[in-house]
Each structure stands twice: as structure tokens, then as C-alpha cells.
Amino acid sequence: MNGNKPFLHKPAEFRSRFTQRIAEHSRVAYLPLPKSDLLVLMVIDEMLVTADALKLKNSVFQQLKSNADHAGTIHSSGLDDIEVWRLKKTPGKLSVPDVAFQVWEARKLLGKNSPMASHIAPNHVLVASPNYHSCPFGPPEVPPSGIGTPGLGDGGDVHVTVIDSGFVTGGPIDGRVCYDFGYWFTRDTTAPGGYAWVQEPMVYPNTANPLDQNDDCELDALVGHANFVAGVIAQGCPTATIDIVSHNGSFVENDSGGVPDTPITTEASVAKSLYDVLTRPNPPDLVNVGFAFPTLPVNAKLGLPNGPPSWSFRSVLDRTKDSRTLIVAPAGNQNTTVKQYPAAMHETFPNRVIGVGSVHRHDNGFVKSHFSNHGGWVACCTSGEDVVSAFVTWSGPTEEAETSGPDTGTRPKKDFQDWAMWDGTSFAAPKVVAAIAKRMSAPAGIVAGVPASPLAAWNGVKQGKPSPADLNMGILLGALPPT
């Protein structure tokens, strides 16, 4: 199903107007996964294909190549580069997303056991939207009165990069972070294939208010998400130096109205940002990737919701195998065991990727947060509820995450003064980042004046912690600060 054709039905995942706008975008296709509360979102006309596969005489890849334009390369390592190709036309099926049909047909022709079947995938759309892909569960709330202003520290030797959405200036985190922006594709007739990577703007053309870019008098759903995550890290480890790579394309509006020509945050664009961060001359010790997305199953018609591991993230990790940087990611908020990426890369890269679920204290112990995803692919869990962190100043309604009963179109007014309280695995993950960073910089973690490696610090953080079988979320870290 896709936005330039009538909806066959509107799934339960459309709990917010924001989520529905994403699915209705003319360049987004979506597929409800059977037996789950999930959608797979994809760019309707973009494919991820390995450069080596395109050299083969296989008719599938040759057909794709003749029916598409080269749009960009995620990384150029000289080892089976991953390329993005934009289809010139799509099959036009109504029952499934056009791009999904193209993938299924290609995999069917290749055969399910063919090694080349893993060399073709859709370019998934990544949205850090409420109770949906990634990671707040519900809207931000005004903190209760009486909570003191959190301290954000001054930074230090341990370096953390946050790859996320929704960063805006003008809040309390400004003095603690450096920031940059992620990528999106734009038409460029001078570039090979007619497309080029460009960096996203903070505020899109023809918009006046970065907090309300679609001019509906409501705080946009993702505004302040990256600010909030960075604030959690700064509170938990005041000596961490933090930089943010923000993919603000998650503010996407339908091209036919609202914000025109808005970038879409995709798997390819976030993977490219991660690759660039990991291959810097001085890469960070830790990266917090604030997205969680399911991948397209090889055959969703059979009711098998788990798709293959994110091909682009796996490729980036393979190409940076000597990196000591640890990647931490939220497990997502759909209360499902369906694997979400990049968190589920922990299964393949247990010493490189940490997926984080959420718990809350109950009686004398901890129970799973009702929204948290779970399963053997989740490495650890900590409290992701009622987290207070840096936000924006805004007085008015916000885009709510869910509606109970008919949507009347009205939203309660909220008065944010630089700080907010929020729930989600999005805010459990940076607590783990902060705990690792704090251990690296603590006296016990410094040897001969040099901080411990991120992996050594992580092993120290989790040492002796239980793995309760009933939680099904790996190591229980309890309630890490900030609380």
C-alpha cells in the first residue's frame, strides 16, 4: 500500500495524525505485518543493491539495473559497496507496496537459498514517532512541579555521538553539544545517475517555525527528541563530550501539501551517517542510534513477521570491524518480539551493538514496561519511564501519540520550559550509554591515564547483573541514572 493510491484499510498503527501523514506520503509504501502490531515502511521506488551483484549476469539484477537510476552509495570501502538505485517505474500492484513486490519477485527468481537473495532489499523508512518506529511511547509531558533543574555537566574525555531526529536549537542542551545533520537524496542533474547526497536543513524551505513546521499550531511530534536523548547522556555522565547527527526528515509531510519536498529519513541515510561517524579520524567511543525498525520479511504472506537483519547496518559493521566504538540502540515500543534494527544486530555483533529495552520498578523488583519490545535479541534493559531531560520552550498543544475514542482534533495545552518528561526505550538506551561512558572515565576505568575501552567498560557495567527469564530482555540494569 502506498500514499499515491487509495488505502485498502487503515491499520491500528495509525494512532496519531503524524504516523498517518508518514504513511500517506507519496514516496512511502507500507505493509502491515501479520500477527504483529507493526508496519514496515519503505521508500516506494528505492532499492539497496550491492555493487558486486550488479556486475553479475543474473537476469534479475540486470533487469533492475536497466529499470533504475543510480542514486548514491552508502559506503565506498572497495568491498562490495552498497548502492541505492531509484526505480524508473514500479509494478503497480495494489495488494502490497510496489517496492515490496519488486523485492519479492527478485528473491523468488533468485531462489530462497541463493546467496544473492541477501543482496537486494528495500530502502526502509525510519521514523522515530510515538508508539511506532523507534522510540518515544506517547507524547512528552511537562515535568511535575518540584523537580529541580538537572545538571548537564561540562564534558570531558569520553566522546559520544547521538544519531537521532528532531534536534532544534534554543534549549538547555545547546551549550553541551556540537551538532551536524544527516543525509537525504536530492535531484542533481550534474551528478552520476542524476541524484546526490546532501545534508538536511534544520528548517525546511518556506517554513517559519522550526517547532511547528507544518503550521498546525501544535508542537511537531519529534521536536526535541535528539535534545532529550543528549540530555539523558549528559545527566548520567556529566563528563561525556556529546555531538549530535540529526535526521530531521522525520518531520516529513505529504508533498501535495504542508511542507513541500521534505526529506524522508531512510535506512540508507542513517547507515551512511553511522559509517561516516565510525570512519572519522577520531571516531567516538559510543554511538547512540535512536531508531528501531522492522525489516521486510522474505515472505510476509506466510505470516512470518521477522525480516532478515538490516543489510545496510550489517554491511557498515562488517566494513568497520576494527572499530572499538560501541553502538547502543533502543528496542522499540510495540510490545512485540519482532526484531528491530539496529538493536537486533546484537545477535550477530554482541561486542559491537547493545539493544536496550525498558522496565519499571514494581514492589521489590522490576517488570517489563508495557510498551517495550523484548526477546533474545535485546541485550539489556533499564528504566525508560518518567525520564526528565532537556527539551524546548513551547506553550500550546502537542501532537499526541494516541487517541482514545474518536479523534476530536483538539489537544491539551502544555507549557514546556526547557524540560520535559517522556517514556520510551529511546530514553532507556542513552542511560546505558551514560553508564558505560561514566565507567570509562571513572578512576577504576582508567589505566595509565587512559580511559578503559568501551567494551571493557560495558563488561564492567553488566558484570554480576541478573538476566531474569521472565523479562526476556537480557541483563537487568535496574534504574540507571538519571532517575
Side-chain angles (χ1 to χ4, degrees):
M1 304 171 194
N2 62 68
N4 56 14
K5 292 178 181 157
F7 291 124
L8 298 186
H9 67 278
K10 293 185 178 181
E13 287 81 355
F14 291 160
R15 294 186 173 95
S16 71
R17 290 174 294 173
F18 174 73
T19 303
Q20 183 165 341
R21 288 204 311 271
I22 298 294
E24 289 177 340
H25 191 279
S26 59
R27 296 209 51 239
V28 174
Y30 71 88
L31 176 72
L33 286 181
K35 302 179 182 179
S36 75
D37 192 25
L38 289 171
L39 297 177
V40 178
L41 291 174
M42 298 153 281
V43 184
I44 194 170
D45 57 354
E46 286 180 357
M47 308 289 294
L48 305 182
V49 185
T50 59
D52 284 359
L54 290 170
K55 298 174 185 176
L56 300 176
K57 300 300 182 183
N58 184 287
S59 60
V60 174
F61 292 105
Q62 291 304 311
Q63 182 182 11
L64 281 175
K65 191 172 181 179
S66 64
N67 187 38
D69 292 320
H70 180 265
T73 301
I74 294 178
H75 60 72
S76 299
S77 63
L79 296 171
D80 205 11
D81 298 345
I82 292 186
E83 298 182 353
V84 183
W85 285 70
R86 182 166 288 183
L87 302 178
K88 298 174 183 176
K89 58 182 179 180
T90 51
K93 296 290 181 179
L94 290 175
S95 59
V96 295
D98 292 348
V99 71
F101 178 82
Q102 187 83 29
V103 173
W104 286 335
E105 289 299 296
R107 285 174 170 166
K108 182 170 67 176
L109 291 171
L110 287 170
K112 64 180 181 179
N113 296 321
S114 168
M116 287 292 102
S118 64
H119 287 244
I120 178 173
N123 189 12
H124 295 94
V125 173
L126 276 55
V127 182
S129 66
N131 194 21
Y132 191 53
H133 285 207
S134 188
C135 291
F137 181 82
E141 303 292 350
V142 177
S145 59
I147 293 181
T149 301
L152 299 178
D154 299 315
D157 293 336
V158 180
H159 181 193
V160 178
T161 295
V162 173
I163 301 177
D164 211 299
S165 285
F167 177 71
V168 291
T169 57
I173 198 66
D174 284 6
R176 282 285 285 111
V177 300
C178 297
Y179 61 89
D180 201 348
F181 291 91
Y183 298 96
W184 64 295
F185 287 127
T186 188
R187 191 71 176 170
D188 184 351
T189 57
T190 65
Y195 298 90
W197 288 107
V198 295
Q199 284 193 295
E200 295 187 29
M202 177 182 287
V203 181
Y204 299 119
N206 304 317
T207 60
N209 188 348
L211 306 184
D212 179 20
Q213 296 198 36
N214 62 344
D215 297 323
D216 64 356
C217 298
E218 295 179 356
L219 180 69
D220 287 341
L222 287 174
V223 163
H225 190 269
N227 305 54
F228 197 97
V229 168
V232 172
I233 296 169
Q235 292 177 75
C237 183
T239 57
T241 294
I242 304 168
D243 66 88
I244 297 173
V245 179
S246 184
H247 287 261
N248 283 353
S250 293
F251 295 125
V252 67
E253 290 283 349
N254 194 318
D255 286 341
S256 63
V259 182
D261 303 320
T262 318
I264 301 171
T265 302
T266 68
E267 177 183 359
S269 61
V270 174
K272 179 172 173 58
S273 290
L274 179 62
Y275 182 78
D276 287 356
V277 165
L278 294 179
T279 55
R280 289 173 181 169
N282 296 298
D285 300 294
L286 296 140
V287 177
N288 189 112
V289 181
F291 298 91
F293 65 99
T295 57
L296 178 71
V298 173
N299 196 337
K301 294 179 181 179
L302 296 180
L304 305 175
N306 275 318
S310 166
W311 180 38
S312 63
F313 280 93
R314 183 181 66 188
S315 176
V316 167
L317 291 167
D318 282 339
R319 303 305 179 265
T320 58
K321 60 184 179 181
D322 294 330
S323 173
R324 77 173 209 151
T325 302
L326 270 183
I327 298 164
V328 182
N333 305 312
Q334 298 86 17
N335 185 29
T336 180
T337 59
V338 175
K339 295 177 182 177
Q340 309 275 296
Y341 295 94
M345 300 305 297
H346 173 72
E347 289 185 313
T348 309
F349 300 91
N351 293 327
R352 301 277 307 281
V353 179
I354 302 168
V356 185
S358 175
V359 294
H360 71 268
R361 191 180 295 277
H362 179 71
D363 294 334
N364 295 322
F366 288 88
V367 297
K368 186 183 82 67
S369 297
H370 66 95
F371 54 79
S372 182
N373 291 342
H374 50 103
W377 51 275
V378 181
C380 66
C381 52
T382 189
S383 175
E385 299 185 31
D386 296 334
V387 182
V388 175
S389 189
F391 198 55
V392 300
T393 297
W394 170 267
S395 183
T398 68
E399 288 189 324
E400 298 293 314
E402 296 188 56
T403 58
S404 55
D407 184 358
T408 62
T410 60
R411 300 289 185 269
K413 180 180 178 180
K414 300 177 184 178
D415 188 19
F416 292 104
Q417 299 295 326
D418 283 344
W419 305 92
M421 185 170 68
W422 222 340
D423 294 347
T425 58
S426 248
F427 316 126
K431 288 187 174 186
V432 175
V433 170
I436 298 170
K438 189 171 183 178
R439 188 172 183 92
M440 287 181 66
S441 59
I446 296 178
V447 179
V450 178
S453 72
L455 180 59
W458 164 236
N459 288 332
V461 167
K462 68 179 182 179
Q463 185 176 9
K465 302 297 190 299
S467 298
D470 57 335
L471 287 179
N472 198 21
M473 289 187 290
I475 303 296
L476 172 62
L477 299 179
L480 293 175
T483 57

